[in-house]
């Protein structure tokens, strides 16, 4: 088999995930206008109830139009006519274009995808600022406001799950004023697991389910919720396997910069599963298989002598050029935010379980040790993750305007110094691309420690 065929066939699932992300606008329009489905805006990986309610969760940036590379456009149209597995037409197309550097095709496509998304994030950030959001807010919140200002009126509801960060909760509260139309569905997570916190949270989830029933006019059964959890669990299993078995291993199925781009793509798309849970499950499960298959055949790169640099947090905004710079400096960047925040934990689905209560336990676990806990526990989670990944170093992104997660760095540095004894550094971040030179200098000095 030619190299092109091998590249495309053995990595087609990542191309599908990329295509489904970038071609969302048409998909969502079809769902809303032709199939009369309800669109629900979600942020962070909290889309479960929207799926269980048979609505279409959407991370709002996906309602925008993206520039799609010609390969992906062709792949998408070929897939709708011939099915995704028929790649011969796609290969013929590439040959006709006279592309010689075939081994770089997948790398280039994925790199383009991440660039296109990041440009859009910056556009959203600018819209957020123009709208008047305080310059004091972090990058993530400014861009989220921009997404709702520009596209939020298209959704039928917003699913608002509160977390420990008060700025984030203020952003959720502002959504009603940005667009009056969408129904606001709330899940308040009690900040601590004391007393009857689980009961309270179960109640809040039951209310949210009722709100969804009002929105769609359809009853949501426990079985429906469990069925969605089962799909979510399969997604999480594959994602975890990719993090632990592949990203922490010594042989990669592609070069480490592309691998990090794939991890960044998963991190973005995991928030709403590209609006289709079964399709996303199928893609991520085959992505894991494809990666393992390439490794088994020896296709990829020996990375045993490249230090593992755990880069985090990235979900509120980070400099996406970091992994490329780290790669050029001889290392490899590992991304594992959702696992660190305990959002890849599976939810029990036994027939006798109460799914609302199981979901409450899941959200509470994430709150206790990940996304909503105090700095002491949060720094322990960073430490645990670095240890589990066998990291040789850690880069911590300190977001301008973040008074929640970013201020745990000094405690984290202390703990790393005492317990892990690996190098660590912090990089301040305001906007993508804004201080690339400074990032390069910081990373250059940091990577020197591994020589
Ligand atoms: S925790 Fe920090 S990065 Fe996350 S939303 Fe709040 S302010 Fe932004």
């Amino acid at each position: 088999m030619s190299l092109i065929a091998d590249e495309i066939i053995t990595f087609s699932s990542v191309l599908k995930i990329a295509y489904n992300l970038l071609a969302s606008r048409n998909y969502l329009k079809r769902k809303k206008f032709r199939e009369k489905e309800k669109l629900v805006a979600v942020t962070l990986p909290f889309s479960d109830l929207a799926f269980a309610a048979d609505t279409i969760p959407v991370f709002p940036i996906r309602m925008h139009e993206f520039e799609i590379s010609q390969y992906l456009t062709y792949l998408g149209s070929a897939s709708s006519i011939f099915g995704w597995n028929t790649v011969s037409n796609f290969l013929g197309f590439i040959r006709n274009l006279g592309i010689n550097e075939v081994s770089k095709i997948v790398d280039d496509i994925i790199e383009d995808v991440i660039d296109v998304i990041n440009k859009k994030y910056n556009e959203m950030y600018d819209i957020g600022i123009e709208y008047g959001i305080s310059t004091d807010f972090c990058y993530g919140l400014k861009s989220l406001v921009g997404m709702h200002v520009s596209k939020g009126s298209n959704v039928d509801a917003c699913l608002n799950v509160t977390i420990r960060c008060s700025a984030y909760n203020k952003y959720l509260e502002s959504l009603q004023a940005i667009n009056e139309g969408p129904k606001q569905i709330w899940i308040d997570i009690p900040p601590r697991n004391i007393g009857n916190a689980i009961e309270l949270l179960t109640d809040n989830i039951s209310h949210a389910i009722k709100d969804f029933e009002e929105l769609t006019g359809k009853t949501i059964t426990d079985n429906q919720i469990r069925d969605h959890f089962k799909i979510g669990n399969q997604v999480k299993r594959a994602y975890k396997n990719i993090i632990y078995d592949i990203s922490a291993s010594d042989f990669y199925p592609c070069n480490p910069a592309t691998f990090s781009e794939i991890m960044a793509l998963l991190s973005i798309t995991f928030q709403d599963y590209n609006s289709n849970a079964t399709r996303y499950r199928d893609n991520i499960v085959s992505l894991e298989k494809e990666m393992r298959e390439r490794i088994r055949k020896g296709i990829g790169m020996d990375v045993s002598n490249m230090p593992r640099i755990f880069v985090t947090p990235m979900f509120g905004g980070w400099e996406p050029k970091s992994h490329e710079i780290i790669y050029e400096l001889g290392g490899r960047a590992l991304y594992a935010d959702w696992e660190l925040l305990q959002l890849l934990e599976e939810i029990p689905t036994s027939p006798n379980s109460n799914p609302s209560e199981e979901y409450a336990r899941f959200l509470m676990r994430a709150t206790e040790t990940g996304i909503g806990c105090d700095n002491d526990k949060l720094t322990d989670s960073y430490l645990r993750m670095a240890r589990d990944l066998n990291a040789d170093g850690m880069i911590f992104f300190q977001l301008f305007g973040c008074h929640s997660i970013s201020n745990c760095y000094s405690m984290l540095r202390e703990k790393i110094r005492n317990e892990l004894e690996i190098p660590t550094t912090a990089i301040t971040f305001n906007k993508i691309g804004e201080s690339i030179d400074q990032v390069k200098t910081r990373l250059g000095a940091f990577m020197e420690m591994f020589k």
Side-chain angles (χ1 to χ4, degrees), residues 37-56:
E37 305 270 12
K38 302 284 184 201
L39 303 189
V40 177
V42 295
T43 328
L44 303 176
F46 293 137
S47 58
D48 297 291
L49 287 194
F51 277 120
D54 211 12
T55 61
I56 309 288

Side-chain angles (χ1 to χ4, degrees), residues 299-339:
I299 305 171
M301 200 166 154
D302 180 347
V303 289
S304 52
N305 58 356
M306 303 176 86
R308 300 175 176 91
I309 311 298
F310 178 34
V311 179
T312 191
M314 60 184 296
F315 72 94
W318 98 115
E319 181 45 64
K321 285 275 172 255
S322 320
H323 50 255
E324 213 177 290
I325 302 171
I326 291 172
Y327 173 53
E328 279 159 13
L329 294 167
R332 42 178 160 145
L334 310 189
Y335 295 130
D337 269 12
W338 302 133
E339 168 64 357

Side-chain angles (χ1 to χ4, degrees), residues 44 136-141 144 163-169 171 313 315-317 371 399-406:
L44 303 176
D136 239 16
F137 276 28
C138 73
Y139 178 85
L141 291 179
L144 280 171
I163 58 169
R164 177 181 64 138
C165 168
S166 58
Y168 181 82
N169 297 340
Y171 141 77
F315 72 94
I371 202 148
L399 267 65
F400 174 82
C402 174
H403 304 288
S404 225
I405 286 185
S406 285

Side-chain angles (χ1 to χ4, degrees), residues 50-94:
F51 277 120
D54 211 12
T55 61
I56 309 288
V58 52
F59 182 52
I61 201 167
R62 291 184 44 250
M63 288 183 275
H64 275 273
E65 200 157 356
F66 290 93
E67 275 169 43
I68 309 181
S69 84
Q70 55 194 143
Y71 317 114
L72 279 184
T73 310
Y74 188 83
L75 196 65
S77 25
S79 77
S80 56
I81 303 168
F82 307 108
W84 276 106
N85 293 332
T86 307
V87 288
S88 55
N89 297 286
F90 180 50
L91 302 177
F93 168 75
I94 290 179

Side-chain angles (χ1 to χ4, degrees), residues 419-439:
E419 294 176 39
L420 284 187
E421 297 177 9
I422 57 171
T424 175
T425 193
I427 292 182
T428 47
F429 173 86
N430 184 39
K431 184 181 180 186
I432 294 175
E434 199 178 75
S435 29
I436 279 287
D437 288 340
Q438 189 210 337
V439 174

